[in-house]
Amino acid sequence: MPPRLYLPSALLQACRQSALSTVHSVALILLFALVLPTEGLGQERAGGGPESAPAPQPASRQGPRTQEQISAEIRALPPRYLQWVQSVLGLITQAELDYFLDLVGDYRRDAFMEAFWQPRDPVPATRENELRARWQESVSSSNVRVPFTDARAMLYLLNGAPQGYSLPDGRPATRCFSRTDELEIWFYSGSERLQREFIIILLKRGAQTPYEAYNLGETLRPRKRSGALPTKDIRLLCADEYLRYALSEISRPGNYEELLETVLKPPLPSSEWLANFSASTTDLPKDAVTFPMVAKLTFPERNQSRTAVQVLVEITLEAAPGRRFDGELFHNFLVTGEVIRDGRLFESFNYQFEGPTEESTTKIPLGFTRYLRPGPADLRVLVHDVYGKSYSRLAHDFEVPSPEGRPEVRHAQLQAGTAAEQEGPSLRLLPPPGATHVGMLRFQTRARGEFDKVAFFVDDKQVISKRRPPYSVELNLGQDAAPHRVRVVGFSGTTEIASDQVWLNQGSQRLRVRFIEPRPGGIYPGSLTARIAVDTPDGTPPERVEIFLNDVSIGVLEEGPYVQTVRLADDNIAVVRAVATLADGVSAEDAVVVNAAGSVESVEVRLVEIYALVVDENGQLVTGLAQEQFTVLEDGVAQSLRSFEETRDAPLQLALLLDRSASMQPHLETVGEAAFSVATNVLQGDEDRISLMSFADDLSVDVALGSDLALIERAMAGMVARGGTALYDGIVQALGSFDGVTGAKALLLFSDGNDEGSSLSFEQSIAAASRAGVTIHTIGLAETYPEKSERRVLEDLAAETGGQAHFITTVDQLGELYEEILAELRTRYLLTFQSASQKPPDQPRELKVEVDARRVEVRARKSYRP
């Protein structure tokens, strides 16, 4: 008997009444029309191997699928995949359905079905996916052919069971059922979707229609109850006052339609997850250009009960000619792999091979190793030549041999520290994992030798000390991703005999100088030996290190080791200072007070710089204003300006921060061209510098702050879009890279999506922006930010720092917009004042710049943090 095809006219109404989105409604209608009889579900197709019959390929279609095509492709699915598609009616989007039908191979379908639920987890912080658990429980216990067209099922699946509601007279209420009509009232004290009380009235209007949510203004005419009551508990039967009360409550001022949308609309996952899932496949993309490669498998060693499977891929230079940057030949290959065992995806992996290629080579080798247990396996590898935009694919069935008789892999223990460090007591402070550090963190210390006490300092303030090992502590760094210096000091009696320190939430651009000797507060009669450690951004030695005694230069060291004997005229208090200077003029210093009998107070003189842009009512730059026309307010108090300058073609320290999440793949080439263009225009003078950073799930500093255009070009050409959009994490980490950079600093952020999965919050990114002193211009795709509330994140971030939020319709507009922003950054007013604020360092100082001129707008940072 052929499958029955039917499309009830009431389905459209059910979709609307259930507050389903358009995309879900379309998928639901199509799938409802294609439901097959349930007989035989769960049985495997006769003669089927590990792979079922392939679904039609995208290449066989022109344009979107028709309903007839969907019908034919669903019929080709094995019964268990058909059953799964039926079970997610109301949840699956049209894009997800199209992708699922395009999949070839049961192992990919199984992986998709598992990954499908992750972006729909209502509470990701918990171990269980609550929506999936409720959904699957309902599917397994339901005898309804299409169970989720009913608004009652949607309400339960998306919000859980109603509970906790108290009526005005104190009686508890959950659900109540009309005695005579097909009508129910559900009472919620709150749910996973809405953290407040709400009531939903549900009714059935006809014998063939599902339950729907009642909308205000409609006629309340439920169908008369024809069957038995749904409950025998008399307490759950609705008296007339329940309905009057519920109608009164939902009629209160407020948006009841928005309430229905909130509690009944299925979650729309970001398209990012589908793009990421697609990026992990080893299938050739549609219309892919291919090249040949040769692969060899060997099994050289074992690791406990597993055998090393070593894969060596060779690609000829003719097949992948590479690309030249600044005259040098480079290659960039992205390798995606899958191991399939027993018909299911066992593991997937990615490698990227990028770097220069020797001119004399004819073959390019790519090698990697996986450790697998003995038995049959199916290895699939997709090699993507990123520069050549071509692909090669390997599919190979093989037998993993037993590890017996193969040499064991032995991992040598690396000896930490140099020989000089081993001679006496030493401490090594291990930084916690991760790029950004907030809250309570545990710090471990490796110690050699005996100590009477080991003390831990955060930003030069002692927090805790320990008398015996292990020297590990938990330190609270606060909730703002502020720069910190964490230091550990070991004492013998009251004498400091060893120390170490780490800098957290600080970028790689920072030049750091510190005294190893002398120690603060030490007593040095007659003389001392100054030993200075210098950390530079790229590891290149500084141009010079100058030593000062009480502000008098006593020596210049042009190469390491940076050691200088300092003779003291007497035993009075003295200040020893070291200043390191790089070739481009950037400098940093450290100072130590010695021979102080007691504590020495230090007073910091803080000069605050504000770059201000002034525009007229048409958005045109306003120049030629005088210092007397500007007023700067710090926490509402007018400040006296120490300096004033109208900058023209001012040197820039600029960073491009680009979204490289999976959804950016279609835009990367255009974005790369715009990035290279802006880099060319930024690097006009000797003091201009630019860096390129990109983010997805984490931040990558693709090109450090410098002036090498070839590096920018190569980084953009080799960028691959993968991962989610951890926007807030990326912003905070990018701002940290400016730590130690002086001058006019700006960050140009481009993203095509909202934040997904950041460990830091929007408030923490705002705090980091106010602290960094970096002007941020944000750029988003208008289609991603249709609502004003969604745009506010980019708008607030830019406004806080004196920048502006921009929304473009296509990435083709990016290059022109970059040019406009650059013109603004080079033409601003620089205002400097000396702060006298007594606020603690962790509290922001509010700033406001006013201009005595008509019809102008001032854009300047709104706050700063020391």
Side-chain angles (χ1 to χ4, degrees):
M1 180 179 179
R4 290 180 291 130
L5 302 180
Y6 54 96
L7 182 57
S9 61
L11 184 58
L12 279 171
Q13 183 182 9
C15 291
R16 179 178 61 81
Q17 300 287 356
S18 299
L20 297 179
S21 67
T22 301
V23 67
H24 283 95
S25 300
V26 171
L28 189 57
I29 292 166
L30 292 172
L31 289 172
F32 197 97
L34 297 165
V35 171
L36 301 182
T38 55
E39 295 86 278
L41 288 183
Q43 300 176 9
E44 293 298 329
R45 178 174 298 172
E51 298 224 358
S52 63
Q57 290 301 290
S60 65
R61 297 192 316 274
Q62 295 295 326
R65 281 180 169 88
T66 64
Q67 182 174 327
E68 290 73 19
Q69 286 174 321
I70 293 177
S71 175
E73 293 178 33
I74 288 182
R75 287 193 187 97
L77 291 173
R80 64 190 176 104
Y81 299 119
L82 168 63
Q83 189 176 32
W84 179 81
V85 169
Q86 286 182 259
S87 76
V88 293
L89 291 178
L91 272 186
I92 194 166
T93 67
Q94 189 67 56
E96 291 170 328
L97 175 61
D98 282 337
Y99 187 85
F100 184 77
L101 293 177
D102 283 338
L103 290 174
V104 177
D106 289 355
Y107 81 96
R108 290 295 294 174
R109 295 189 183 107
D110 292 335
F112 180 96
M113 288 157 53
E114 186 65 27
F116 174 85
W117 292 101
Q118 185 176 351
R120 292 172 165 86
D121 190 348
V123 190
T126 61
R127 182 172 298 179
E128 183 181 42
N129 186 324
E130 294 80 5
L131 175 60
R132 180 180 186 177
R134 283 198 299 268
W135 203 277
Q136 292 181 335
E137 177 189 7
S138 179
V139 169
S140 63
S141 62
S142 175
N143 295 318
V144 183
R145 182 185 300 274
V146 184
F148 305 131
T149 57
D150 192 312
R152 296 173 304 171
M154 275 291 183
L155 190 59
Y156 167 73
L157 291 167
L158 298 177
N159 298 271
Q163 58 185 344
Y165 195 99
S166 293
L167 296 170
D169 59 6
R171 287 179 296 168
T174 53
R175 284 190 294 174
C176 73
F177 306 90
S178 169
R179 296 171 182 268
T180 58
D181 299 319
E182 296 277 5
L183 182 144
E184 300 180 13
I185 308 173
W186 290 29
F187 300 87
Y188 283 88
S189 63
S191 74
E192 292 170 357
R193 292 195 141 207
L194 189 63
Q195 303 302 314
R196 65 174 176 84
E197 290 185 341
F198 62 92
I199 299 173
I200 303 293
I201 299 175
L202 301 139
L203 70 155
K204 185 179 176 72
R205 296 184 186 273
Q208 301 301 319
T209 62
Y211 265 79
E212 63 188 60
Y214 168 70
N215 283 286
L216 286 175
E218 294 182 341
T219 303
L220 187 65
R221 287 184 181 173
R223 179 175 182 266
K224 291 297 180 183
R225 193 174 294 284
S226 57
L229 288 170
T231 179
K232 295 181 179 180
D233 189 341
I234 193 171
R235 294 171 300 178
L236 297 180
L237 296 178
C238 291
D240 290 342
E241 68 266 19
Y242 278 85
L243 181 57
R244 287 197 296 270
Y245 171 73
L247 286 170
S248 173
E249 287 297 300
I250 67 175
S251 301
R252 288 178 179 273
N255 194 335
Y256 182 68
E257 288 73 19
E258 186 177 324
L259 165 67
L260 293 181
E261 182 88 357
T262 300
V263 299
L264 281 171
K265 181 179 179 179
L268 270 175
S270 165
S271 60
E272 208 94 80
W273 93 263
L274 195 58
N276 276 319
F277 185 86
S278 176
S280 68
T281 181
T282 58
D283 294 335
L284 284 169
K286 179 184 175 182
D287 301 328
V289 177
T290 60
F291 63 87
M293 67 178 180
V294 177
K296 179 182 179 182
L297 270 65
T298 56
F299 312 97
E301 59 191 19
R302 65 185 172 94
N303 186 3
Q304 298 181 358
S305 62
R306 299 193 177 211
T307 300
V309 180
Q310 192 173 78
V311 183
L312 178 64
V313 173
E314 286 189 342
I315 303 168
T316 65
L317 197 61
E318 181 182 2
R323 184 168 170 180
R324 292 187 180 275
F325 299 94
D326 201 21
E328 189 174 3
L329 181 63
F330 284 84
H331 278 88
N332 192 326
F333 295 100
L334 184 67
V335 175
T336 302
E338 297 172 320
V339 176
I340 302 146
R341 310 203 78 157
D342 301 322
R344 299 186 69 86
L345 181 64
F346 174 73
E347 68 174 11
S348 58
F349 52 88
N350 293 286
Y351 298 102
Q352 189 158 12
F353 300 87
E354 190 270 340
T357 306
E358 293 183 7
E359 298 285 350
S360 59
T361 190
T362 58
K363 294 182 179 179
I364 308 160
L366 312 177
F368 58 89
T369 302
R370 310 300 298 179
Y371 290 93
L372 301 176
R373 291 190 175 90
D378 181 0
L379 174 68
R380 305 190 181 188
V381 176
L382 182 70
V383 179
H384 176 197
D385 177 7
V386 179
Y387 294 153
K389 300 179 182 178
S390 56
Y391 298 83
S392 189
R393 187 174 186 272
L394 161 73
H396 182 60
D397 296 323
F398 65 99
E399 184 82 16
V400 180
S402 168
E404 297 300 325
R406 286 173 171 77
E408 179 73 31
V409 180
R410 299 190 179 276
H411 302 284
Q413 294 294 324
L414 299 179
Q415 298 297 319
T418 63
E421 292 173 329
Q422 307 295 333
E423 294 175 356
S426 67
L427 290 172
R428 183 184 176 198
L429 187 60
L430 305 180
T436 306
H437 304 92
V438 296
M440 294 294 297
L441 293 176
R442 176 161 290 278
F443 289 81
Q444 306 281 350
T445 304
R446 290 180 182 172
R448 177 181 295 276
E450 299 292 331
F451 301 94
D452 293 329
K453 181 181 73 171
V454 171
F456 291 83
F457 297 78
V458 177
D459 301 330
D460 297 325
K461 294 181 180 178
Q462 182 174 327
V463 177
I464 193 172
S465 64
K466 299 191 73 173
R467 297 285 179 178
R468 59 181 63 87
Y471 301 118
S472 62
V473 295
E474 283 195 347
L475 301 177
N476 189 352
L477 301 182
Q479 292 307 308
D480 286 342
H484 294 290
R485 181 175 72 153
V486 178
R487 189 165 179 254
V488 59
V489 180
F491 294 88
S492 175
T494 59
T495 303
E496 180 182 328
I497 59 174
S499 67
D500 192 22
Q501 58 191 341
V502 295
W503 286 267
L504 304 177
N505 303 334
Q506 294 187 349
S508 59
Q509 301 298 321
R510 188 172 183 83
L511 170 65
R512 299 185 179 96
V513 181
R514 63 185 175 96
F515 277 105
I516 300 173
E517 285 284 347
R519 295 186 173 90
I523 305 299
Y524 299 89
S527 66
L528 58 83
T529 300
R531 303 179 188 273
I532 300 107
V534 181
D535 299 319
T536 61
D538 58 1
T540 303
E543 188 175 76
R544 65 182 183 278
V545 175
E546 192 167 5
I547 312 297
F548 294 83
L549 176 63
N550 296 330
D551 289 331
V552 176
S553 176
I554 60 172
V556 177
L557 307 175
E558 295 184 351
E559 60 183 30
Y562 304 108
V563 180
Q564 171 84 27
T565 300
V566 179
R567 302 203 176 276
L568 306 174
D570 47 41
D571 295 340
N572 293 336
I573 296 175
V575 179
V576 184
R577 188 160 57 96
V579 179
T581 304
L582 301 180
D584 59 5
V586 174
S587 64
E589 66 178 72
D590 190 21
V592 174
V593 179
V594 298
N595 294 341
S599 61
V600 177
E601 292 187 2
S602 62
V603 178
E604 183 179 14
V605 177
R606 174 171 293 277
L607 292 179
V608 181
E609 292 185 342
I610 306 176
Y611 284 90
L613 179 77
V614 183
V615 296
D616 62 20
E617 56 188 340
N618 298 316
Q620 299 299 309
L621 298 176
V622 176
T623 60
L625 297 175
Q627 177 175 341
E628 293 74 21
Q629 294 177 267
F630 285 83
T631 302
V632 176
L633 303 174
E634 181 186 37
D635 292 332
V637 179
Q639 304 295 307
S640 176
L641 294 182
R642 294 285 296 270
S643 65
F644 172 86
E645 177 186 358
E646 182 178 357
T647 64
R648 298 288 183 93
D649 297 324
L652 278 180
Q653 314 295 309
L654 182 72
L656 297 178
L657 178 59
L658 304 179
D659 183 343
R660 57 169 165 80
S661 58
S663 58
M664 279 291 296
Q665 185 58 50
H667 310 310
L668 277 185
E669 184 172 355
T670 304
V671 171
E673 292 172 358
F676 185 73
S677 175
V678 76
T680 303
N681 289 326
V682 165
L683 300 174
Q684 298 295 323
D686 294 338
E687 298 180 38
D688 292 321
R689 293 191 294 173
I690 189 170
S691 70
L692 176 66
M693 293 176 280
S694 58
F695 71 94
D697 297 313
D698 55 8
L699 180 82
S700 170
V701 180
D702 302 292
V703 179
L705 206 59
S707 56
D708 192 332
L709 278 174
L711 290 179
I712 298 284
E713 183 184 17
R714 181 156 61 92
M716 283 307 312
M719 192 174 291
V720 177
R722 286 198 172 187
T725 307
L727 177 63
Y728 304 147
D729 288 358
I731 290 170
V732 172
Q733 293 170 32
L735 289 170
S737 72
F738 280 99
D739 186 52
V741 176
T742 58
K745 300 172 287 187
L747 177 72
L748 273 57
L749 163 66
F750 173 71
S751 176
D752 76 332
N754 293 298
D755 182 82
E756 295 176 357
S758 281
S759 60
L760 300 174
S761 66
F762 171 64
E763 290 73 21
Q764 287 172 312
S765 67
I766 285 287
S770 69
R771 181 183 299 107
V774 178
T775 302
I776 302 177
H777 283 267
T778 58
I779 307 169
L781 284 179
E783 63 182 20
T784 310
Y785 300 92
E787 302 296 334
K788 187 174 181 180
S789 59
E790 295 173 337
R791 295 182 174 216
R792 194 169 298 141
V793 168
L794 298 187
E795 290 171 342
D796 289 354
L797 189 65
E800 178 68 30
T801 64
Q804 193 174 11
H806 309 266
F807 297 94
I808 56 179
T809 54
T810 69
V811 292
D812 295 330
Q813 300 170 274
L814 194 56
E816 183 179 351
L817 180 56
Y818 276 153
E819 298 305 316
E820 294 176 6
I821 295 173
L822 282 181
E824 293 182 359
L825 290 173
R826 291 193 186 275
T827 308
R828 295 183 292 176
Y829 296 90
L830 174 58
L831 317 172
T832 306
F833 70 93
Q834 180 177 327
S835 174
S837 175
Q838 299 301 310
K839 278 187 175 181
D842 60 344
Q843 292 186 15
R845 279 81 159 164
E846 302 301 322
L847 293 174
K848 186 177 183 181
V849 179
E850 298 177 345
V851 175
D852 183 13
R854 296 183 60 189
R855 297 178 181 177
V856 299
E857 176 191 353
V858 182
R859 297 176 194 158
R861 58 194 298 199
K862 293 184 177 181
S863 65
Y864 78 95
R865 301 182 187 221

